[in-house]
Amino acid sequence: MGEYNVVVYTSDSCIHCTKVLELLREWDISFTEKNISQNADFYKEMKEMGVYGAPVTFIDGQQVLGFQKRKLKKYLGIDEVSSYIRQRALSNQN
């Protein structure tokens, strides 16, 4: 899997934000989190891109609104086979 520029705009107490972050960690994807509840500049950035709610994930410029596992996988080049192989390899290490 290649390296991607991944930025996730999140907000406090947002279950869908938490789900996106958990998936990215599970898939071992590096990302930058920008919490709009804690930093007004991040909210302003997000609004300037025409987005008014979190979560929103940008993957090399591709926008994924909300929690959309299939779209995240698509833009990150993750397919079911590679996920299965990666999980098997991890379980064999334990």
Side-chain angles (χ1 to χ4, degrees):
M1 209 174 337
E3 286 295 313
Y4 297 91
N5 179 20
V6 180
V7 178
V8 185
Y9 289 85
T10 62
S11 63
D12 292 343
S13 304
C14 168
I15 188 104
H16 294 293
C17 299
T18 302
K19 286 182 177 185
V20 169
L21 297 177
E22 286 174 354
L23 268 184
L24 294 174
R25 288 183 185 113
E26 177 184 324
W27 295 335
D28 199 26
I29 302 295
S30 297
F31 62 89
T32 301
E33 179 182 2
K34 295 187 174 188
N35 188 311
I36 63 172
S37 299
Q38 298 173 14
N39 187 320
D41 289 337
F42 293 155
Y43 182 65
K44 185 178 175 182
E45 278 178 25
M46 195 178 75
K47 281 182 18 182
E48 287 172 357
M49 292 182 275
V51 180
Y52 296 91
V56 61
T57 306
F58 291 91
I59 303 166
D60 289 339
Q62 298 279 5
Q63 178 180 294
V64 180
L65 294 172
F67 177 71
Q68 297 188 59
K69 187 174 180 178
R70 283 187 181 160
K71 266 194 178 176
L72 290 168
K73 283 179 144 187
K74 176 183 174 183
Y75 294 146
L76 291 167
I78 297 172
D79 61 28
E80 296 299 326
V81 174
S82 64
S83 295
Y84 173 78
I85 291 169
R86 186 170 40 262
Q87 287 198 348
R88 292 277 304 199
L90 289 174
S91 66
N92 288 335
Q93 290 176 354
N94 296 329

